[in-house]
Amino acid sequence: MYISRDGIILCNVYNNIVKRSRRPFGFITKIHNDSRRTYRAIENLRFFSAACKFRFELTFDEFDPSEIARKTDKGLVMIKNTVALFCECVIRELREQVDSIQKL
């Protein structure tokens, strides 16, 4: 399974989800598209984490951007868990939106 460890895809997916939301706020306004330098990948991952905390009130217990960006085994586990939690949160919000529409 391929998971982007430089944060670019995560940031873009996050922005696309928020854009289509009923509550479109908390966009990630800065994304480093050139992440060949590790510090830029780390910043992208931090941007994603901070945006999730702000927009979805979601915090990741085991989240170390430097481990993820350096592509360690521990980092791979962290990014998989992070993506899973993010997806669960987004699905929950979407279900709430659908339920509120159906009640009308």
Side-chain angles (χ1 to χ4, degrees):
M1 178 165 114
Y2 173 79
I3 296 179
S4 170
R5 295 185 189 191
D6 60 11
I8 295 170
I9 294 172
L10 281 176
C11 290
N12 287 320
V13 166
Y14 170 92
N15 280 342
N16 281 305
I17 288 169
V18 170
K19 184 167 99 176
R20 289 168 175 74
S21 168
R22 289 180 127 185
R23 302 179 312 139
F25 71 92
F27 290 98
I28 300 170
T29 56
K30 181 177 181 181
I31 301 170
H32 297 293
N33 289 313
D34 177 13
S35 60
R36 285 178 284 173
R37 297 194 179 264
T38 305
Y39 78 90
R40 289 184 178 152
I42 291 170
E43 279 192 340
N44 284 342
L45 293 164
R46 285 188 180 138
F47 297 153
F48 172 77
S49 177
C52 286
K53 185 175 183 178
F54 176 71
R55 169 62 174 73
F56 293 103
E57 298 177 6
L58 180 63
T59 56
F60 307 112
D61 294 331
E62 293 287 321
F63 188 79
D64 182 351
S66 62
E67 287 284 337
I68 296 167
R70 285 186 283 135
K71 302 176 181 167
T72 65
D73 289 340
K74 184 177 177 183
L76 179 60
V77 171
M78 285 180 194
I79 195 67
K80 284 182 180 181
N81 292 338
T82 298
V83 169
L85 285 171
F86 176 67
C87 289
E88 289 171 13
C89 184
V90 170
I91 289 168
R92 186 171 42 253
E93 182 176 292
L94 291 172
R95 283 187 180 144
E96 289 170 3
Q97 288 178 12
V98 168
D99 290 347
S100 69
I101 291 170
Q102 289 176 346
K103 289 180 183 178
L104 299 175

